[in-house]
């Protein structure tokens, strides 16, 4: 990261903490690595992002329903899905610093360094060697590459490495009180399997006809070898996943459709299109016949936010084999039984939070010839802003606070509101700008005479005078989910 992008990222992290969006977990005990808590405003923003996703999937599509499956599942599920045997990262330890690294990431960092030093040929060759070694699951080759390219431990500076070993990313725990009879279970590493194993339950009870989808939002857990970049790579995180079940042979058409739909969904939030790109997978997982990532240009480069995979019938077939229960669907249109094919969309809620945060945080220079001025604004789309409107009495006397409270008591039935009477109005505006509140309402002496207030718009900073009894409609229209969902139709 260059100094400038490093500063940009540090600003995002410190702003998120300073204004109550994201805290390090267990901070008073010096934190827990790669685990984070969402604060009072972060929880609101996260809930709004979930609502946007849920409405766009479940409310807008007659053929998509949502479920909420348990985090604990039968351990054989993870055998069937391939996670017990194959959900691994190659890790390596430095014997001097005792630090553990992902072998492939150490090599990727070296590729970045070659690129930065203008050694593009070397970078390309190393990338090819890395891909070949990973494709062949050749762990000794990864170690040789690390040695050949003189990759040293960033902490100790030495090349005193252990062998490269596979490290399974699932967290395991015991279920049941008796040590002897306890069963090893896993904290789910993805929410998708909870959908697959409920496929027939939902299809039958909901009388769903193919093509149809099952959506789910929930926690997932991965014991990442190294976790870095704030909420990008966490050990406990949240996913929003859709499994869309289709007739075999139609999956690539649906894959293209979902690829387009999902990018549109991200862009509707008002993000700069130049910040997004598709990254098609060249090397496909054994169960996929097409896969793409939607990547966002973070201060540390383009990184995956969402994955769209055409997963064939792999998962349902595996569950049919391991559970010995038929996972078939009878298609009345063609009079045939088959195991459906699946197109999956999977977005990490925390990564989405970070894209929205990075995309919205703006430092604006407001200096005029007379004076220097600036502000920090979170330009969230009004529908997802944690606080929809703030209300300020101009002064703390003359009945203005009472009038402001009276207005707030009505508006809070519809909107998340904040009341603030401290400091000058300008300072109060700045406080709301910094947390992304789209509208500020000021109650002044004129309000007491004619029942009007001023409403100030966060982005334009323009103010207009409106009647109090219009506020609910005005704010309601501005923050409505329609403004987002309409763009997806
Ligand atoms: N069911 C498919 C699946 O889980 P994945 O690419 O491993 O696919 C999907 O994960 C999404 O989950 C990613 O695009 C990312 O946004 C998010 N994600 C994965 N691992 C994560 C982690 N350790 N921390 C935060 N988000 C993560």
């Amino acid at each position: 990261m260059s100094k400038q992008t490093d500063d940009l990222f540090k600003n995002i992290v410190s702003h998120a903490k300073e204004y109550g969006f994201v805290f390090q977990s267990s901070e008073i005990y010096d934190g827990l690595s790669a685990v984070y808590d969402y604060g009072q405003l972060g929880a609101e923003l996260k809930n709004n992002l979930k609502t946007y996703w849920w409405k766009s999937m479940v409310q807008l599509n007659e053929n998509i329903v949502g479920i909420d499956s348990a985090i604990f599942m039968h351990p054989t599920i993870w055998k069937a899905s391939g996670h017990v045997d194959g959900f691994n990262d190659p890790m390596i330890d430095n014997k001097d610093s005792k630090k553990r690294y992902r072998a492939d990431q150490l090599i990727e960092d070296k590729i970045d360094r070659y690129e930065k030093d203008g050694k593009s040929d070397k970078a390309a060759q190393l990338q090819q060697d890395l891909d070949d070694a990973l494709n062949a699951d050749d762990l000794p080759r990864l170690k040789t590459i690390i040695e050949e390219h003189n990759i040293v431990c960033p902490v100790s500076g030495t090349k005193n490495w252990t062998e490269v070993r596979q490290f399974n990313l699932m967290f395991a725990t015991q279920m049941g009180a008796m040590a002897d009879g306890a069963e090893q279970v896993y904290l789910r590493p993805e929410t998708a399997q909870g959908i697959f194993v409920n496929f027939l339950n939902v299809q039958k009870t909901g009388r769903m006809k193919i093509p149809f989808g099952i959506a789910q939002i929930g926690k997932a857990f991965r014991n990442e070898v190294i976790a870095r970049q704030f909420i990008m790579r966490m050990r406990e995180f949240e996913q929003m996943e859709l499994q869309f079940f289709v007739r075999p042979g139609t999956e690539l058409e649906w894959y293209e459709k979902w690829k387009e739909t999902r990018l549109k969904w991200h862009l509707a939030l008002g993000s700069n299109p130049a910040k997004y790109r598709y990254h098609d997978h060249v090397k496909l997982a054994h169960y996929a016949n097409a896969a793409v990532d939607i990547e966002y240009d973070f201060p540390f480069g383009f990184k995956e936010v969402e994955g769209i995979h055409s997963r064939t019938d792999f998962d349902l077939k595996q569950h049919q084999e391991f559970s010995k229960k038929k996972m078939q669907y009878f298609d009345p249109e063609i009079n045939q039984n088959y195991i459906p094919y699946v197109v999956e969309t999977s977005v990490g809620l925390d990564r989405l939070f970070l894209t929205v945060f990075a995309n919205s945080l703006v430092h604006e220079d407001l200096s005029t010839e007379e004076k220097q001025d600036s502000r920090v604004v979170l330009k969230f789309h009004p529908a997802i802003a944690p606080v929809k409107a703030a209300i300020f009495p101009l002064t703390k006397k003359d009945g203005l606070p009472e009038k402001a409270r009276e207005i707030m008591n009505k508006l809070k039935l519809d909107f998340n509101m904040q009341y603030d009477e401290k400091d000058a109005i300008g300072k109060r505006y700045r406080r709301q700008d910094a947390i992304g509140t789209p509208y500020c309402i000021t109650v002044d002496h004129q309000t007491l005479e004619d029942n009007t207030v001023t409403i100030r718009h966060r982005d334009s900073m323009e103010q207009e005078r409106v009647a109090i009894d219009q506020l609910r409609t005005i704010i309601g229209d501005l923050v409505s989910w329609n403004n987002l969902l309409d763009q997806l139709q």
Side-chain angles (χ1 to χ4, degrees):
M1 253 196 279
S2 71
K3 165 101 181 64
Q4 203 187 0
T5 51
D6 193 26
D7 287 350
L8 205 63
F9 189 51
K10 279 190 183 140
N11 270 340
I12 292 170
V13 177
S14 64
H15 195 90
K17 169 154 193 215
E18 189 180 341
Y19 288 93
F21 285 88
V22 183
F23 306 126
Q24 197 182 7
S25 159
S26 323
E27 197 188 76
I28 59 169
Y29 291 94
D30 298 329
L32 185 65
S33 173
V35 186
Y36 290 89
D37 296 338
Y38 286 84
Q40 63 280 14
L41 293 177
E44 294 286 348
L45 178 58
K46 214 173 158 205
N47 279 340
N48 291 341
L49 291 171
K50 287 194 228 183
T51 303
Y52 172 39
W53 187 87
W54 192 267
K55 279 180 181 290
S56 72
M57 288 295 180
V58 176
Q59 191 175 314
L60 289 195
N61 295 288
E62 282 172 52
N63 60 347
I64 298 181
V65 290
I67 65 165
D68 183 11
S69 72
I71 286 171
F72 288 133
M73 298 166 73
H74 195 288
T76 309
I77 287 171
W78 305 112
K79 197 82 191 139
S81 67
H83 284 83
V84 170
D85 298 317
F87 195 49
N88 302 317
D89 275 342
M91 68 169 187
I92 190 166
D93 293 284
N94 182 268
K95 293 182 198 162
D96 299 320
S97 67
K98 310 268 183 273
K99 293 277 176 206
R100 176 163 290 173
Y101 299 94
R102 258 177 66 179
D104 55 330
Q105 278 177 359
L106 279 177
I107 298 170
E108 267 166 16
D109 289 347
K110 188 73 181 182
I111 295 171
D112 285 348
R113 225 161 306 137
Y114 281 148
E115 289 284 5
K116 276 191 197 117
D117 296 345
K119 297 176 182 164
S120 304
D121 287 354
K122 246 181 150 167
Q125 183 56 51
L126 183 51
Q127 184 70 60
Q128 186 61 52
D129 291 348
L130 172 62
D131 290 347
D132 290 347
L134 289 175
N135 284 342
D137 265 336
D138 189 345
L139 303 184
R141 175 76 190 121
L142 287 176
K143 168 93 185 274
T144 318
I145 293 175
I146 288 172
E147 286 168 344
E148 281 172 1
H149 288 265
N150 286 320
I151 297 175
V152 296
C153 166
V155 176
S156 68
T158 71
K159 291 186 275 179
N160 195 7
W161 296 112
T162 61
E163 296 308 308
V164 178
R165 282 161 296 155
Q166 289 289 21
F167 178 74
N168 191 285
L169 299 187
M170 280 198 296
F171 283 100
T173 187
Q174 305 294 320
M175 183 172 266
M178 308 296 287
D180 278 354
E183 185 167 34
Q184 171 156 292
V185 292
Y186 300 98
L187 297 187
R188 67 181 176 198
E190 62 170 13
T191 61
Q193 296 305 322
I195 297 179
F196 289 123
V197 299
N198 277 299
F199 156 69
L200 277 183
N201 280 340
V202 174
Q203 190 271 317
K204 287 192 173 133
T205 56
R207 293 181 293 120
M208 309 300 291
K209 289 206 167 50
I210 270 179
F212 75 90
I214 306 179
Q216 165 153 245
I217 300 176
K219 289 263 178 157
F221 304 82
R222 295 182 189 178
N223 197 4
E224 299 284 357
V225 175
I226 52 157
R228 54 182 179 181
Q229 286 153 344
F230 193 41
I231 53 175
M232 263 309 278
R233 192 169 295 283
M234 303 155 88
R235 297 205 164 101
E236 172 180 343
F237 58 100
E238 218 160 337
Q239 290 185 317
M240 305 196 288
E241 300 201 295
L242 167 75
Q243 309 300 322
F244 197 71
F245 300 91
V246 303
R247 191 180 289 167
T250 64
E251 71 276 7
L252 292 179
E253 253 168 70
W254 284 108
Y255 168 78
E256 289 301 331
K257 183 178 172 298
W258 279 112
K259 188 172 157 179
E260 198 183 303
T261 305
R262 292 305 303 151
L263 183 58
K264 214 165 154 192
W265 184 91
H266 286 276
L267 295 179
L269 284 167
S271 327
N272 175 0
K275 291 255 174 194
Y276 287 86
R277 72 176 186 198
Y278 289 123
H279 172 76
D280 288 299
H281 289 206
V282 182
K283 180 198 164 210
L284 292 173
H286 58 283
Y287 53 78
N289 63 4
V292 65
D293 294 336
I294 294 177
E295 294 187 337
Y296 179 80
D297 189 8
F298 289 99
F300 40 83
F302 273 100
K303 293 276 179 275
E304 172 187 352
V305 179
E306 171 153 3
I308 297 138
H309 304 128
S310 174
R311 293 181 76 124
T312 67
D313 56 356
F314 173 81
D315 302 86
L316 290 179
K317 228 180 184 166
Q318 286 290 100
H319 289 306
Q320 175 165 292
E321 189 183 323
F322 278 74
S323 69
K324 312 269 183 285
K325 306 272 168 19
K326 279 229 171 326
M327 285 291 168
Q328 286 192 337
Y329 168 80
F330 176 73
D331 191 331
E333 279 179 30
I334 54 171
N335 222 12
Q336 260 181 38
N337 273 309
Y338 55 77
I339 297 182
Y341 271 43
V342 173
V343 176
E344 170 186 74
T345 74
S346 175
V347 56
L349 179 53
D350 312 271
R351 281 195 197 173
L352 173 68
F353 186 107
L354 192 56
T355 64
V356 167
F357 211 86
N359 209 48
S360 309
L361 187 61
V362 181
H363 291 249
E364 274 182 0
D365 185 3
L366 305 174
S367 300
T368 57
E369 279 183 8
E370 289 84 53
K371 68 168 180 147
Q372 296 264 43
D373 197 8
S374 67
R375 66 171 185 158
V376 179
V377 204
L378 273 169
K379 293 194 169 178
F380 296 135
H381 188 290
I384 59 160
V387 177
K388 301 299 187 224
I391 188 148
F392 311 148
L394 187 62
T395 66
K396 282 192 216 170
K397 48 186 196 307
D398 304 332
L400 299 184
E402 291 74 10
K403 186 72 184 170
R405 288 254 177 231
E406 184 191 309
I407 298 170
M408 167 139 167
N409 282 341
K410 289 218 176 85
L411 291 179
K412 77 180 182 191
L413 299 175
D414 289 289
F415 313 112
N416 201 13
M417 305 274 301
Q418 274 193 2
Y419 174 89
D420 191 1
E421 58 178 27
K422 195 167 174 288
D423 301 318
I425 286 284
K427 259 195 166 167
R428 287 184 250 172
Y429 282 151
R430 290 291 180 275
R431 276 203 286 273
Q432 295 299 328
D433 287 344
I435 63 168
T437 306
Y439 309 106
C440 291
I441 300 159
T442 303
V443 173
D444 55 19
H445 292 93
Q446 191 181 329
T447 309
L448 302 180
E449 286 161 24
D450 64 4
N451 271 319
T452 62
V453 290
T454 61
I455 178 163
R456 181 255 196 190
H457 298 251
R458 177 194 68 201
D459 297 348
S460 65
M461 293 190 287
E462 274 168 15
Q463 296 181 29
E464 54 179 327
R465 202 145 194 115
V466 303
I468 291 172
D469 57 14
Q470 289 296 305
L471 277 174
R472 188 164 162 255
T473 314
I474 293 171
I475 297 174
D477 286 347
L478 293 170
V479 304
S480 167
W481 289 112
N482 287 1
N483 300 329
L484 281 173
L485 299 178
D486 219 17
Q487 298 179 59
L488 309 177
Q489 301 264 38

